[in-house]
Amino acid sequence: MNWFAVAALALCVIAPGTDCADDTIPWCYNLPTCNDTTWPVIAAPFCNGTKQSPINIVTANAAGDASLGPFTFVNYDNPSIMNNIENTGKTVKVNLNPGAKVSGGNLSEPYDSLQFHLHWGNGSTVPGSEHTVDGKQYPMELHIVNSKESLNRNTTLAVEDPEGLTALGFFIEALTDNSTGQPASWRQLIAYLENITIQNQTVSITPGITLNDLLFGVDRTQYWRYLGSLTTPACNEAVVWTVFKGTIKMSTDLIDRFSTVLRIGNSTSEHMVNVFRNVQPALPVSTQVSSTSGTSKTCYSLGLMALSVVLGRS
Ligand SMILES: *[C@@H]1O[C@H](CO)[C@@H](O)[C@H](O)[C@H]1NC(C)=O
Ligand SMILES: *[C@@H]1O[C@H](CO)[C@@H](O)[C@H](O)[C@H]1NC(C)=O
Ligand SMILES: *[C@@H]1O[C@H](CO)[C@@H](O)[C@H](O)[C@H]1NC(C)=O
Ligand SMILES: *[C@@H]1O[C@H](CO)[C@@H](O)[C@H](O)[C@H]1NC(C)=O
Ligand SMILES: *[C@@H]1O[C@H](CO)[C@@H](O)[C@H](O)[C@H]1NC(C)=O
Ligand SMILES: *[C@@H]1O[C@H](CO)[C@@H](O)[C@H](O)[C@H]1NC(C)=O
Ligand SMILES: *[C@@H]1O[C@H](CO)[C@@H](O)[C@H](O)[C@H]1NC(C)=O
Ligand SMILES: *[C@@H]1O[C@H](CO)[C@@H](O)[C@H](O)[C@H]1NC(C)=O
Ligand SMILES: *[C@@H]1O[C@H](CO)[C@@H](O)[C@H](O)[C@H]1NC(C)=O
Ligand SMILES: [Zn+2]
């Protein structure tokens, strides 16, 4: 092994060891009387809890955990798994047909994938992800919501169990190549927004798009894990969070559709923009131990450079 290869290794070594939304609470994102700063009061006690989501993930503080293995996804390749798409007035939500599941990833049992929805800001230039990474907020964030298989999709029971739900979070990042309508899977899904511009509108989804299609390009073995809450009232602390490090890349025209097509009420209501909760106090975060592509790295180069010198001379 030559000195440079060893030195490169030594410079970046992983630190060892180291919507289920509540309709009864009149919360909102857009008004001072009901936006997220008021939730600890209007949606007490859970929104005023101690394990609240989202959080800012400080990559250097993520502890290595050898139990955070790969996931198994069932029916994520099924082109008929999406049932319908709905404007809830707070987000756009896709309800899934029964059969999609996620297991592995140190989850205590398989979880049923129930629905996914998104969070965004105001177009591709005003970010609106919920989690942030070292202070960086992404344009959008996709949440796939899952509940313990043993709870038979009963979300009332799920929110009473500290690990009743598991959420898969994916950041959406803007493509910088001036392309439009990319990727095709998202273009197909986003076309439905024209049919659900008003709150409570729902339209069936024609088979053809899979969950894997939407998650294209993301390495699903690399993620952060922490125990937190729903990010909308009642903010129940019942969620095992998985936030993936890789991002979904989307052209800016598609990102812009969310903030320009959807309205929070009827056709005269304002556009649905800045639909995210701000970050909450930090929580312990863990990640894979032996990743070489992760960002949780420590450079204890002195010791390893000394070792490399020894190796280089031997
Ligand atoms: C939310 O409301 C508070 C007052 O309750 C106000 O100070 C704050 O600016 C509002 N935030 C947003 C993003 O509108
Ligand atoms: C929220 O909890 C803190 C303690 O964690 C408490 O001091 C505060 O009064 C609570 N606020 C509300 C609105 O309940
Ligand atoms: C995963 O495994 C660790 C042990 O390393 C355990 O403490 C943790 O609670 C487990 N559960 C989840 C959901 O990550
Ligand atoms: C969102 O962006 C549009 C276009 O740039 C702007 O007209 C509108 O005022 C913005 N809305 C908010 C709430 O910032
Ligand atoms: C969920 O479980 C609770 C408690 O067992 C029960 O009261 C409720 O009817 C169930 N909900 C559904 C939709 O099955
Ligand atoms: C994107 O378009 C702008 C303006 O039309 C141009 O200056 C830039 O070079 C383009 N970028 C790429 C990667 O094609
Ligand atoms: C969605 O809207 C478009 C035109 O806005 C219409 O052609 C199409 O039939 C609608 N689709 C459904 C499923 O309602
Ligand atoms: C839209 O909703 C507002 C109240 O949110 C109401 O005053 C208005 O009449 C409604 N307009 C239509 C066209 O339904
Ligand atoms: C959507 O449904 C909710 C709950 O029934 C209702 O309060 C709201 O006014 C409806 N929105 C529109 C635009 O009709
Ligand atoms: Zn969400």
Side-chain angles (χ1 to χ4, degrees), residues 229-242:
S229 76
L230 297 177
T231 66
T232 56
C235 310
N236 307 67
E237 294 180 341
V239 185
V240 177
W241 273 99
T242 299

Side-chain angles (χ1 to χ4, degrees), residues 88 198-200 264-267 269:
T88 69
I198 295 171
Q199 185 187 25
N200 304 331
I264 64 171
N266 64 28
S267 58
S269 303

Side-chain angles (χ1 to χ4, degrees), residues 131-267:
H131 292 92
T132 59
V133 179
D134 294 332
K136 178 189 164 81
Q137 188 178 26
Y138 288 88
M140 298 186 68
E141 187 170 332
L142 166 68
H143 287 161
I144 304 177
V145 179
N146 315 267
S147 71
K148 275 185 179 171
E149 189 178 57
S150 59
L151 299 178
N152 292 313
R153 306 170 83 88
N154 185 325
T155 49
T156 306
L157 290 176
V159 296
E160 290 167 359
D161 176 337
E163 298 190 4
L165 296 169
T166 191
L168 308 176
F170 295 86
F171 294 118
I172 296 175
E173 199 166 21
L175 282 165
T176 55
D177 61 2
N178 292 348
S179 59
T180 59
Q182 295 299 321
S185 55
W186 282 95
R187 181 174 72 239
Q188 281 182 61
L189 187 71
I190 288 167
Y192 289 104
L193 299 188
E194 309 290 346
N195 301 81
I196 55 164
T197 59
I198 295 171
Q199 185 187 25
N200 304 331
Q201 283 183 323
T202 300
V203 66
S204 295
I205 295 183
T206 304
I209 318 166
T210 71
L211 289 164
N212 284 340
D213 291 338
L214 298 182
L215 306 179
F216 176 76
V218 180
D219 176 355
R220 282 179 249 163
T221 68
Q222 303 298 316
Y223 56 88
W224 293 288
R225 163 63 48 79
Y226 76 98
L227 301 181
S229 76
L230 297 177
T231 66
T232 56
C235 310
N236 307 67
E237 294 180 341
V239 185
V240 177
W241 273 99
T242 299
V243 178
F244 291 89
K245 297 180 181 182
T247 61
I248 296 167
K249 311 289 191 300
M250 195 183 291
S251 56
T252 55
D253 62 313
L254 293 187
I255 293 173
D256 292 344
R257 303 301 289 160
F258 290 89
S259 54
T260 56
V261 172
L262 301 168
R263 295 187 183 272
I264 64 171
N266 64 28
S267 58

Side-chain angles (χ1 to χ4, degrees), residues 115-136:
Q115 50 105 332
F116 68 82
H117 62 267
L118 297 115
H119 300 271
W120 61 89
N122 191 4
S124 54
T125 55
V126 180
S129 70
E130 297 211 296
H131 292 92
T132 59
V133 179
D134 294 332
K136 178 189 164 81

Side-chain angles (χ1 to χ4, degrees), residues 297-310:
K297 295 167 184 177
T298 295
C299 301
Y300 44 106
S301 48
L302 270 183
L304 281 173
M305 273 192 196
L307 172 65
S308 71
V309 169
V310 173

